[in-house]
Amino acid sequence: EDKVVQSPLSLVVHEGDTVTLNCSYEVTNFRSLLWYKQEKKAPTFLFMLTSSGIEKKSGRLSSILDKKELFSILNITATQTGDSAVYLCAGTNAGGTSYGKLTFGQGTILTVHP
Amino acid sequence: GAVVSQHPSRVICKSGTSVKIECRSLDFQATTMFWYRQFPKQSLMLMATSNEGSKATYEQGVEKDKFLINHASLTLSTLTVTSAHPEDSSFYICSATRDRGYEQYFGPGTRLTVT
């Protein structure tokens, strides 16, 4: 059974801090690792990572995948209160009838205080 | 681009009634749509995968007769919760993808409360 584990489960920081969120995965026929940000409603897409060692960057957010260690991290620099949310990572299965299926981790609840 | 809508955003129904939730991809054709449910403080759990024009594939433990999924076109999938009970109360979210294996875009979700 596919499994994705995130850590820490929750994190409280102050504005300006840098945070690193972790995601480890065991996904059969792994294809890609996705990061989402979820506030009050449905998740919004942040990154999709398919290749090991190539950093993806969007503003203050960046992410990288290590396919050897089955691991990904999401970094947020100079955090702002608007970054407060649940961050979800998910692994994509590329095999057979499970093709495209996302297995989500439990999420990391990030709280940024002013 | 890649906007997914859901309707309704919130619904309250009585026990024993059926509720239909619509998921639409507004600016792209979605070959595949996925339906998830999310309980408070928990992550998203995949319920089923639907491909346009074919039967949905349900995850283990999800009753296909209770959660009817229809993917009638490349832009519309519906989830009908039949004979709803209070334990079906949850946040239901759909996602759509242009091609399986690529990024999924999520709808805003539907909060179902069964009284």
Side-chain angles (χ1 to χ4, degrees):
Chain A
E1 188 179 323
D2 295 344
K3 189 176 174 185
V4 176
V5 177
Q6 291 183 245
S7 65
L9 294 181
S10 67
L11 193 52
V12 180
V13 300
H14 287 93
E15 271 192 321
D17 289 348
T18 293
V19 298
T20 298
L21 310 183
N22 305 297
C23 176
S24 63
Y25 63 90
E26 293 174 28
V27 175
T28 312
N29 299 309
F30 173 81
R31 189 189 181 282
S32 57
L33 192 289
L34 291 87
W35 283 96
Y36 289 88
K37 176 183 181 182
Q38 185 175 27
E39 296 172 270
K40 296 239 187 281
K41 291 194 172 179
T44 53
F45 173 76
L46 294 176
F47 297 111
M48 183 171 80
L49 304 154
T50 53
S51 299
S52 211
I54 299 174
E55 185 183 55
K56 290 217 172 176
K57 203 168 165 63
S58 175
R60 294 177 294 103
L61 278 66
S62 64
S63 184
I64 198 161
L65 176 68
D66 184 334
K67 290 170 81 170
K68 184 179 174 188
E69 298 297 327
L70 308 183
F71 193 81
S72 175
I73 59 171
L74 174 69
N75 279 318
I76 308 176
T77 60
T79 52
Q80 302 171 356
T81 54
D83 295 326
S84 296
V86 177
Y87 289 84
L88 298 165
C89 75
T92 306
N93 191 310
T97 56
S98 294
Y99 185 44
K101 173 184 166 181
L102 285 181
T103 300
F104 279 89
Q106 326 93 298
T108 294
I109 303 171
L110 175 64
T111 304
V112 182
H113 289 308
Chain B
V3 178
V4 177
S5 71
Q6 267 184 255
H7 178 80
S9 58
R10 186 180 290 267
V11 59
I12 301 172
C13 70
K14 290 189 176 177
S15 193
T17 60
S18 294
V19 174
K20 182 187 279 189
I21 303 169
E22 290 186 350
C23 177
R24 291 181 187 272
S25 56
L26 298 185
D27 53 1
F28 67 100
Q29 293 189 324
T31 56
T32 304
M33 289 184 171
F34 299 86
W35 286 95
Y36 297 83
R37 65 189 295 182
Q38 186 177 33
F39 291 107
K41 298 193 191 296
Q42 293 188 25
S43 193
L44 282 76
M45 296 296 296
L46 180 65
M47 297 174 67
T49 303
S50 83
N51 293 299
E52 185 263 338
S54 62
K55 287 185 180 179
T57 304
Y58 290 81
E59 294 299 300
Q60 197 170 7
V62 177
E63 299 173 58
K64 58 182 70 175
D65 293 331
K66 181 167 185 61
F67 298 100
L68 301 178
I69 291 171
N70 187 331
H71 194 154
S73 75
L74 284 170
T75 58
L76 173 64
S77 176
T78 60
L79 167 68
T80 301
V81 182
T82 62
S83 188
H85 290 286
E87 57 265 31
D88 298 324
S89 298
S90 188
F91 192 50
Y92 291 88
I93 310 174
C94 72
S95 72
T97 182
R98 291 180 176 88
D99 189 8
R100 290 174 83 170
Y102 290 83
E103 57 263 39
Q104 294 179 24
Y105 297 94
F106 285 83
T110 297
R111 174 79 57 197
L112 170 64
T113 304
V114 185
T115 60

